[in-house]
Amino acid sequence: QTILKRMGELHLEIIVDRMKREFKVEANVGAPQVAYRETISQVFDEDYTHKKQSGGSGQYAHIVGRIEPMPEDSPEPFVFEEKIVGGRIPKNFIPSIEKGLRESIIKGPVAEYPVVQTKVVVEDGSYHDVDSSDRAFQTCARDCFRIMFPEAKPVLLEPIMKLEIEVPETFQGTVTGDLISRRGLINSSEMKDRTAQLIADVPLAETFGYATDLRSMTQGQGTFTMELACYRKVPASIQEEIVAEKKKQ
């Protein structure tokens, strides 16, 4: 299976069409999937010890830290910060902790979507002269993250698309009502030469099939453009459906 990543349904259709026309590649194409993200909504502190003994040298790592949300406009999706003093954890193990955490954010604990807008601060810990290792601290960081994230009130974020739509005046009410039914938010509405120009924010999940639907609503006279606006929190009821569906898969 190959996953194609594009801005929206139309972009995906163009790529698939090129595969067939230019490269003569036939493919079974599945339904489009939304690129959700995971984040947290509150701070959570954790004191976690990874200890394993199985003959010979074992594994030991101890981390004390917290996970906290970051602003929506953060330039980096994930930030790692260490505030360890007094050599409680040797400096050579710090990169191992960060590596373990960064491996964890690739697939979040909620529904295996990438983690964003999240910061982890490691403040303390301990080590063992014999049993501590890079591997032990990586494992400790991953397990610690899996504990902290679900306790920090995780939420799913969905891509919100900016739609700019032009339709004849007579179809403005129908198109506006349809946008609202798609959980859309109308930002502006102007009339120019008996043509309504609408700008709205609509969740990407609600835009699949919109090109066909718009043509049907406007007798083929409506046009639109679409681009990513931002990521926004998914309503709780819809999040439950998404998580349940992901678990089935």
Side-chain angles (χ1 to χ4, degrees):
Q1 183 186 53
T2 298
I3 298 178
L4 302 176
K5 298 180 180 181
R6 288 296 182 270
M7 284 287 291
E9 187 180 25
L10 181 59
H11 284 185
L12 290 171
E13 289 177 355
I14 291 171
I15 292 298
V16 171
D17 182 63
R18 287 190 60 200
M19 283 170 52
K20 294 178 178 178
R21 275 189 304 103
E22 299 179 22
F23 303 103
K24 312 301 180 186
V25 174
E26 292 296 329
N28 294 321
V29 182
Q33 299 177 2
V34 177
Y36 294 103
R37 297 289 185 265
E38 297 183 21
T39 190
I40 54 174
S41 56
Q42 71 176 29
V43 178
F44 184 79
D45 296 277
E46 179 61 27
D47 184 331
Y48 184 79
T49 301
H50 170 68
K51 189 185 297 185
K52 188 176 181 181
Q53 195 71 42
S54 56
S57 61
Q59 291 185 33
Y60 179 89
H62 173 216
I63 293 174
V64 178
R66 69 177 184 274
I67 191 169
E68 57 186 54
M70 295 196 302
E72 292 182 7
D73 57 355
S74 301
E76 295 292 329
F78 175 76
V79 171
F80 168 73
E81 185 177 332
E82 64 96 0
K83 296 182 177 180
I84 299 165
V85 295
R88 298 277 293 169
I89 298 178
K91 290 294 183 184
N92 58 299
F93 290 139
I94 302 303
S96 301
I97 296 174
E98 182 173 4
K99 183 177 180 181
L101 292 170
R102 290 194 177 277
E103 288 175 352
S104 299
I105 67 171
I106 297 172
K107 288 185 176 181
V110 177
E112 296 187 346
Y113 292 108
V115 172
V116 297
Q117 299 173 15
T118 302
K119 179 179 182 179
V120 173
V121 181
V122 177
E123 300 171 308
D124 200 0
S126 62
Y127 72 104
H128 188 277
D129 289 331
V130 177
D131 293 344
S132 290
S133 63
D134 290 333
R135 180 183 174 189
F137 272 99
Q138 282 184 42
T139 303
C140 184
R142 286 196 299 267
D143 292 347
C144 186
F145 185 87
R146 290 194 189 103
I147 293 172
M148 291 192 296
F149 198 89
E151 296 292 341
K153 289 194 175 179
V155 294
L156 287 184
L157 302 175
E158 63 180 344
I160 305 297
M161 310 305 289
K162 176 185 176 183
L163 267 64
E164 296 187 12
I165 307 162
E166 290 192 358
V167 297
E169 179 183 8
T170 52
F171 301 111
Q172 181 180 1
T174 302
V175 172
T176 299
D178 177 72
L179 289 171
I180 293 172
S181 73
R182 295 173 185 265
R183 298 193 284 128
L185 177 65
I186 310 298
N187 293 324
S188 69
S189 176
E190 296 181 0
M191 196 65 63
K192 187 176 181 181
D193 298 329
R194 303 196 69 178
T195 297
Q197 298 176 333
L198 307 172
I199 298 178
D201 288 342
V202 183
L204 177 62
E206 306 291 341
T207 65
F208 295 138
Y210 188 67
T212 301
D213 293 342
L214 183 63
R215 284 195 295 268
S216 298
M217 285 185 287
T218 62
Q219 298 178 4
Q221 300 176 68
T223 61
F224 76 98
T225 60
M226 183 171 72
E227 64 181 30
L228 179 65
C230 63
Y231 272 82
R232 195 173 293 158
K233 182 180 175 182
V234 175
S237 59
I238 296 176
Q239 176 170 320
E240 290 176 4
E241 294 176 7
I242 295 169
V243 173
E245 183 62 30
K246 193 73 174 180
K247 286 180 178 178
K248 284 183 183 178
Q249 296 175 3

